[in-house]
Amino acid sequence: TCSRSLEAFGASLTEVDRYDIENDLRSVEALLAIGTPPVDQLREAIIKLETSSHQIYEAMIAASGGG
């Protein structure tokens, strides 16, 4: 999951990237806690999280020597 990836590779991220991912993850979690969140808001929050969490992928590639 994004949370576990953030734990594993968070130290490889810039402070700004880590903050963005954590903030976007909290937004998705908050919407899911509602029970039945508005679909458009949930979709937007997931898209933001996908975009920001791409930095984790970049850190994983760099850690494996592929970047």
Side-chain angles (χ1 to χ4, degrees), residues 37-48:
V39 175
D40 56 332
Q41 288 180 5
L42 182 58
R43 182 179 301 123
E44 182 179 325
I46 290 172
I47 289 169
K48 285 181 71 175

Side-chain angles (χ1 to χ4, degrees), residues 5-6 10 12 18 23 29 56-57 64-65:
S5 296
L6 189 57
S12 301
R18 185 177 176 90
N23 190 47
E29 290 171 341
I56 296 173
Y57 171 74
S64 71

Side-chain angles (χ1 to χ4, degrees), residues 3 22 24-34 42 45 49:
S3 296
E22 289 172 340
D24 292 343
L25 182 59
R26 280 191 297 271
S27 294
V28 170
E29 290 171 341
L31 283 167
L32 292 174
I34 293 172
L42 182 58
L49 179 59

